[in-house]
């Protein structure tokens, strides 16, 4: 049973690891946005817990009949009682929380060099983080399957189904990566480059259930990086991390930022 004194010590150890790191990055998951009102996927109230996880054939189904996929998608987005509606409704209402703010501050302090996020809610960028790699895409964007051209969904009138790319004539889909869809190569290469460069990784709010992201902490550890996990529960990655801070991201991350603030202001 850890006491608050143990927790304080662990928090200071985490801050020391991050302060001493040459190149610290973060990997975040749905748990970071839970305190913004966005449900996670696999927790007790998780979307997949409630509705079942989408099939790994989702992308193939889309590719075989993109028109039918878009028709169903637009119906689901406006009809309560399905995961698409629930996630869209929650993300539309969501605001960044103190966890996002702390990560933006850690970047500002020069502690965090990049954030790899599995979240598609865009909250890191909204809260001011600049170096953000959205490995599963961003639900506010559209992406052409043909040429990869991305554009904001807001302001794009979806009239033809499926929408067709003006650049290359390819089919346009949501930027969000579907189950069974390859991660866009440039994004995946950029993520791997960050993982290979890091000597510390802050692992926040992810169950470690989905590859390739779940491999990143293991790759970083093999490269000699110190891994710090922030999660109220233990996960399938906990056994591989150097330090597990058991708590909510919205509490733990601001505490880490607070303890690093004076340090960084001394250096300035
Ligand atoms: N602070 C930190 N962690 C939290 C919090 C919180 N306030 N609340 C919940 N968590 C933790 C849970 O304990 C769990 O370990 O967040 C994790 C959420 O796990 P998942 O729901 O599996 O989300 P994630 O790991 O991001 O899923 C990865 O799966 O379906 C795909 O594309 C989807 O990007 C997602 C990927």
């Amino acid at each position: 049973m850890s006491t608050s004194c143990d927790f304080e010590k662990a928090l200071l150890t985490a801050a020391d690891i991050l302060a001493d790191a040459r190149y610290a990055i973060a990997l975040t998951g749905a748990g970071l946005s839970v305190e913004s009102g966005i449900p996670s996927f696999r927790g007790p109230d998780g979307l997949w817990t409630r509705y079942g996880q989408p099939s790994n054939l989702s992308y193939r189904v889309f590719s075989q009949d993109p028109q039918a996929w878009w028709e169903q998608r637009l119906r689901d987005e406006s009809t309560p009682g399905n995961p698409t509606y629930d996630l869209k409704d929650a993300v539309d209402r969501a605001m960044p929380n103190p966890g996002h703010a702390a990560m933006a501050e850690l970047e500002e302090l020069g502690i965090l060099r990049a954030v790899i996020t599995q979240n598609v809610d865009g909250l890191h960028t909204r809260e001011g983080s600049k170096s953000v790699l959205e490995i599963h895409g961003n639900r506010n964007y559209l992406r052409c399957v043909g040429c990869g051209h991305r554009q904001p969904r807001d302001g794009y009138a979806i009239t033809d189904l499926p929408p067709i790319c003006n650049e290359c004539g390819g089919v346009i889909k949501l930027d969000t990566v579907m189950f069974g869809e390859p991660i866009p190569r440039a994004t995946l290469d950029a993520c791997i480059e960050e993982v290979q460069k890091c000597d510390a990784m802050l692992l926040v709010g992810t169950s470690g259930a989905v590859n390739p992201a779940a491999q990143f902490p293991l790759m970083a550890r093999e490269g000699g990086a110190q891994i710090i996990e922030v999660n109220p529960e233990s996960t399938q990655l906990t056994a591989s991390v150097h330090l597990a801070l058991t708590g909510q991201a919205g509490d733990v991350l601001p505490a880490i930022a607070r303890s690093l603030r004076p340090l960084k202001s001394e250096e300035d």
Side-chain angles (χ1 to χ4, degrees):
M1 170 74 176
S2 71
T3 65
S4 60
C5 174
D6 297 344
F7 188 74
E8 278 308 312
K9 261 171 44 187
L11 210 58
L12 292 174
T13 306
D16 286 345
I17 292 171
L18 293 170
D20 296 344
R22 172 186 41 76
Y23 198 93
I25 69 171
L27 171 65
T28 66
L32 175 62
S33 296
V34 161
E35 292 161 86
S36 295
I38 301 176
S40 63
F41 294 100
R42 295 175 184 83
D45 298 332
L47 278 176
W48 304 156
T49 310
R50 274 185 280 149
Y51 292 104
Q53 178 165 304
S55 150
N56 277 326
L57 297 174
S58 301
Y59 184 56
R60 183 182 302 175
V61 169
F62 165 81
S63 308
Q64 282 165 351
D65 189 347
Q67 179 179 338
W69 184 90
W70 269 106
E71 286 165 351
Q72 182 64 48
R73 175 72 193 203
L74 295 178
R75 272 195 299 273
D76 287 349
E77 285 185 352
S78 54
T79 316
N82 68 79
T84 297
Y85 180 91
D86 288 4
L87 188 57
K88 176 173 181 343
D89 184 51
V91 176
D92 285 348
R93 300 164 189 262
M95 296 293 288
N97 66 59
H100 297 102
M103 299 201 88
E105 181 179 2
L106 287 172
E107 181 185 62
E108 184 70 29
L109 290 172
I111 298 275
L112 266 192
R113 310 293 287 272
V115 174
I116 299 171
T117 188
Q118 299 171 88
N119 301 339
V120 299
D121 53 37
L123 293 180
H124 279 297
T125 311
R126 247 175 90 181
E127 194 57 7
S129 288
K130 294 187 178 43
S131 178
V132 180
L133 290 167
E134 295 171 312
I135 189 168
H136 293 159
N138 184 319
R139 49 88 69 177
N140 300 312
Y141 281 78
L142 300 168
R143 174 166 42 92
C144 172
V145 175
C147 64
H149 175 66
R150 288 176 81 233
Q151 59 189 308
R153 182 170 175 186
D154 271 357
Y156 181 96
I158 298 179
T159 48
D160 306 323
L161 293 182
I164 297 300
C165 174
N166 292 331
E167 311 285 322
C168 77
V171 169
I172 288 178
K173 67 180 288 287
L174 296 174
D175 185 46
T176 305
V177 174
M178 296 177 180
F179 278 90
E181 178 182 1
I183 307 281
R185 190 73 246 175
T187 305
L188 183 56
D189 289 346
C191 291
I192 292 170
E193 190 181 333
E194 291 300 324
V195 171
Q196 289 172 335
K197 280 197 291 195
C198 83
D199 60 341
M201 177 184 280
L202 193 51
L203 186 58
V204 183
T206 183
S207 62
V210 170
N211 289 323
Q215 296 304 312
F216 293 164
L218 309 177
M219 285 166 64
R221 183 187 168 96
E222 272 162 37
Q226 299 271 307
I227 317 294
I228 301 162
E229 183 175 45
V230 176
N231 197 314
E233 313 285 338
S234 64
T235 70
Q236 47 196 317
L237 293 168
T238 304
S240 311
V241 306
H242 295 87
L243 186 61
L245 297 173
T246 306
Q248 313 261 348
D251 300 328
V252 175
L253 295 174
I256 292 175
R258 274 194 301 276
S259 65
L260 287 168
R261 221 172 278 160
L263 191 83
K264 279 301 175 184
S265 53
E266 275 162 27
E267 286 176 7
D268 290 348

